[in-house]
Amino acid sequence: MTKNKRLVYIALLAAQAVVISLLERAIPFPFAFAPGAKLGLANIITCISLYTLSTKDAFMIVCIRLVLATLLGGTISTFMYSAAGAILSFGGMWLVKKLGPKRVSIIGVSTTGGILHNVGQLVIASWIAGSWSVMLYLPVLSFIGILSGIAVGIAANYLIKNVQTLRAFNKTKEPIQN
């Protein structure tokens, strides 16, 4: 892949992630029993970038999404929550992906990200509240993170397997399992 193609591909993925983030922010409460829980649809792009780009480029997409989504409609507090969740989630997804496709599928990688995103956000909430009792909300958010992670993983897996352009950019050359 030429440098220009890579930059265009990164820009397109980052733009898609920002648009998905903004659209998701417009959904009031997808989970009525868990206030503040979101679907995490922008992680579809994170999964795709982890499987089609280098780690550095994939992390750059996450950072671009964080900054642009905050500038286009967020606050400092939403940035703090999003950044903590996204960075912890990305790190966990990267580590789990390193286990290889024979041990963990993209769905498992995505589920790891869904859970760790919630952990990161609750750590920031605990720090702001000055109490670790906020972590009592973790089981509820973990359940939602698992469900969302599975859905996001299925979507990312489908896109990587069926969108010809994404298959052409599959840098890892690892087979994506069902």
Side-chain angles (χ1 to χ4, degrees), residues 98-176:
K98 295 288 272 180
L99 294 173
K102 291 183 179 172
R103 292 190 178 114
V104 182
S105 71
I106 191 170
I107 297 168
V109 170
S110 175
T111 302
T112 301
I115 294 169
L116 290 178
H117 196 284
N118 293 326
V119 171
Q121 289 184 329
L122 286 177
V123 166
I124 293 297
S126 296
W127 175 67
I128 289 172
S131 170
W132 287 103
S133 63
V134 175
M135 295 301 271
L136 293 172
Y137 197 38
L138 185 59
V140 174
L141 287 182
S142 291
F143 177 71
I144 293 169
I146 290 168
L147 295 179
S148 296
I150 290 169
V152 164
I154 290 170
N157 187 43
Y158 177 82
L159 290 171
I160 288 174
K161 281 186 163 190
N162 295 301
V163 175
Q164 186 66 35
T165 306
L166 293 177
R167 282 193 303 210
F169 282 101
N170 189 353
K171 179 170 175 71
T172 61
K173 300 300 181 212
E174 295 175 3
I176 307 297

Side-chain angles (χ1 to χ4, degrees), residues 9 17-18 31 36 49 52 55 59 61-62 76 100 110-111 114-115 131 139 162:
Y9 182 63
V18 170
F31 302 106
S49 66
T52 60
T55 304
F59 186 70
I61 289 171
V62 170
I76 290 295
S110 175
T111 302
I115 294 169
S131 170
N162 295 301

